[in-house]
């Protein structure tokens, strides 16, 4: 039986992971609505801690900020507030993680330093991520940094799972093939996510060159990386199906791998929708969110193996 106060600690760890997903989703909404440069400076927004709700409240030197924007060079309250809420969520996550570290130190310092180590790493990772957020803004959302930023978010989401696993008693008994197969699939999926991020970077350039309009032209202008990303899905799908077939009768593992396959199919469907239905904006953050969730599912399943 789990100790009662371990249970609330575990619940909080899940909550943290959920918060990371919310921040990833908020980032996706920022991009979907082209609000990235809604706050041209960082950490403030138009030099203010609480951004304007009307153009009349802009500071006298507002041109200085607007000149950093990549498209319209005008104040758009909708973009500004979407970007600002995204930042607030990020900052809130930082505060929750600081609270997590304090809680972990007080609770486990004398009994389980591994948990403290992970909570500390989490704080370091979120600090680096916040710094990268600034660099991304400074360099007008430069593309390589966006990929690193994405990987950082995945690391932050994954760390609480390590602590959850250390405190959870139920594990799966699986053979070496499934264990190694799952590890390989985590690596394969990471490669697919990085490929996807490259496609996203191309989409960013294409959409910008078309003033974020004419969505029907975006996919056709993509280069080889899109074909590689699309075809690579087969490897991910076949690998996960293989794990499903091999492990479908293993207690505990079976339901995990079934959910993994279902999420994977949804991601692929969203990809197909983007490719054949002129990139509906809503599919973009969903594709990203589910891809991140899939990686976490695989990682957690691997952690639970004995
Ligand atoms: C294993 C399956 C897949 C995974 C894990 C995956 C993952 C990803 C990820 C992580 C991104 C980056 C999203 C972002 O940074 O916002 C992405 C982008 C993209 N993927 Fe996939 N993907 C998969 C399959 C597919 C398929 C089958 C297609 C099309 C047939 C597709 C089309 C796209 C497109 C068009 C983008 C650019 C989206 C954007 O600009 O928002 N993906 N993918």
């Amino acid at each position: 039986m789990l100790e009662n106060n371990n249970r609330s600690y575990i619940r909080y760890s899940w909550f943290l992971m959920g918060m990371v997903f919310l921040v990833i989703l908020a980032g996706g909404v920022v991009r979907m609505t082209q609000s990235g440069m809604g706050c041209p400076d960082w950490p403030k927004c138009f030099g203010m801690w609480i951004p304007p709700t009307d153009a009349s409240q802009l500071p006298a030197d507002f041109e200085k900020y607007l000149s950093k924007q990549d498209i319209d060079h005008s104040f758009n309250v909708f973009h500004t507030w979407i970007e600002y809420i995204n930042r607030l969520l990020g900052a809130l996550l930082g505060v929750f993680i600081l609270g997590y570290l304090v809680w972990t130190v007080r609770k486990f310092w004398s009994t389980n330093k591994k948990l403290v180590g992970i909570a500390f790493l989490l704080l370091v990772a979120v600090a680096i991520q916040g710094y990268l957020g600034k660099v991304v803004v400074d360099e007008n959302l430069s593309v390589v940094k966006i990929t690193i930023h994405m990987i950082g978010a995945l690391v932050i989401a994954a760390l609480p799972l390590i602590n959850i696993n250390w405190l959870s008693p139920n594990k799966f008994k699986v053979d070496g093939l499934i264990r190694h197969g799952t590890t390989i699939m985590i690596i394969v999926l990471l490669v697919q996510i990085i490929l996807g991020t490259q496609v996203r970077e191309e989409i960013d350039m294409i959409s910008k060159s078309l003033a974020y309009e004419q969505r029907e032209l975006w996919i056709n202008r993509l280069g080889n990386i899109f074909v590689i990303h699309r075809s690579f899905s087969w490897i991910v799908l076949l690998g996960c199906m293989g794990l499903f077939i091999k492990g479908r009768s293993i207690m505990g593992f079976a339901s995990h791998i079934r959910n993994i396959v279902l999420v994977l199919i949804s991601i692929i469907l969203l990809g197909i929708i983007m490719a054949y239905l002129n990139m509906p904006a809503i599919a973009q953050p969903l594709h990203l969110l589910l891809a991140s969730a899939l990686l976490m599912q695989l990682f957690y399943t691997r952690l639970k193996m004995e």
Side-chain angles (χ1 to χ4, degrees):
M1 265 306 266
L2 279 180
E3 246 183 81
N4 215 11
N5 47 355
N6 272 2
R7 198 171 292 159
S8 35
Y9 180 83
I10 290 177
R11 241 183 245 143
Y12 189 73
S13 307
W14 280 117
F15 162 75
L16 277 188
M17 200 199 65
M19 263 307 280
V20 180
F21 276 80
L22 197 64
V23 173
I24 293 179
L25 182 66
V29 171
V30 166
R31 182 161 169 266
M32 184 177 95
T33 55
Q34 277 88 47
S35 304
M37 281 290 143
C39 289
D41 45 335
W42 192 99
K44 291 188 183 175
C45 187
F46 288 98
M48 301 154 97
W49 285 114
I50 299 175
T53 50
D54 187 90
S56 63
Q57 299 159 0
L58 284 168
D61 57 350
F62 72 94
E63 286 293 349
K64 168 178 107 187
Y65 299 107
L66 290 180
S67 63
K68 292 189 193 174
Q69 286 178 331
D70 56 353
I71 34 170
D72 46 7
H73 301 281
S74 61
F75 172 70
N76 178 324
V77 66
F78 175 68
H79 288 170
T80 297
W81 274 83
I82 288 192
E83 168 62 10
Y84 182 67
I85 290 169
N86 176 43
R87 289 186 192 180
L88 277 186
L89 283 172
L92 207 57
L93 176 65
V95 173
F96 287 145
I97 287 179
L98 187 64
Y100 187 63
L101 178 60
V102 173
W103 190 1
T104 314
V105 168
R106 292 181 59 168
K107 192 168 164 54
F108 295 108
W109 182 255
S110 51
T111 53
N112 196 339
K113 292 227 174 31
K114 288 192 299 188
L115 296 170
V116 178
I118 293 294
F120 180 70
L121 269 182
L122 198 52
L123 189 66
V124 172
V126 86
I128 295 177
Q129 190 75 347
Y131 172 74
L132 276 176
K134 171 186 161 48
V135 180
V136 169
V137 170
D138 280 355
E139 302 195 7
N140 220 335
L141 304 173
S142 116
V143 288
V144 180
K145 308 252 164 44
I146 291 176
T147 306
I148 300 173
H149 202 54
M150 166 84 222
I151 294 172
L154 295 174
V155 170
I156 295 172
L159 285 171
L161 293 179
I162 299 178
N163 278 359
I164 293 169
N165 177 58
W166 275 332
L167 293 170
S168 306
N170 41 354
K171 303 268 186 281
F172 317 135
K173 278 210 182 321
V174 295
D175 60 24
L177 188 64
I178 291 193
R179 191 176 317 112
H180 298 314
T182 309
T183 308
I184 291 171
M185 285 319 296
I186 290 173
I187 297 166
V188 167
L189 183 59
L190 260 176
V191 172
Q192 174 68 328
I193 288 177
I194 292 170
L195 285 171
T197 315
Q198 307 304 309
V199 178
R200 173 233 154 111
E201 290 173 1
E202 278 195 12
I203 288 282
D204 280 346
M205 282 186 273
I206 296 164
S207 54
K208 187 176 163 186
S209 73
L210 292 169
Y212 302 104
E213 283 162 6
Q214 295 180 282
R215 285 178 167 263
E216 69 283 3
L217 300 181
W218 295 6
I219 290 281
N220 286 338
R221 296 199 178 182
L222 286 170
N224 287 340
I225 197 79
F226 171 59
V227 180
I228 299 173
H229 178 63
R230 204 178 51 188
S231 313
F232 205 80
S233 300
W234 283 107
I235 301 180
V236 184
L237 183 64
L238 290 175
C240 287
M241 287 302 290
L243 286 174
F244 175 74
I245 291 165
K246 188 87 184 59
R248 67 187 183 284
S249 52
I250 300 174
M251 264 252 290
F253 178 74
S255 61
H256 276 244
I257 191 67
R258 189 197 55 220
N259 293 340
I260 284 170
V261 171
L262 287 178
V263 171
L264 177 57
I265 291 172
S266 314
I267 298 169
I268 294 178
L269 282 178
L270 283 165
I272 294 173
I273 288 174
M274 283 196 282
Y276 294 100
L277 297 178
N278 303 333
M279 293 285 292
I282 186 75
Q284 293 179 281
L286 288 180
H287 190 69
L288 166 66
L289 197 71
L290 288 186
S292 317
L294 182 68
L295 186 70
M296 292 312 120
Q297 281 179 303
L298 263 176
F299 180 63
Y300 188 57
T301 306
R302 176 65 189 84
L303 287 176
K304 286 181 91 67
M305 290 176 181
E306 282 190 326

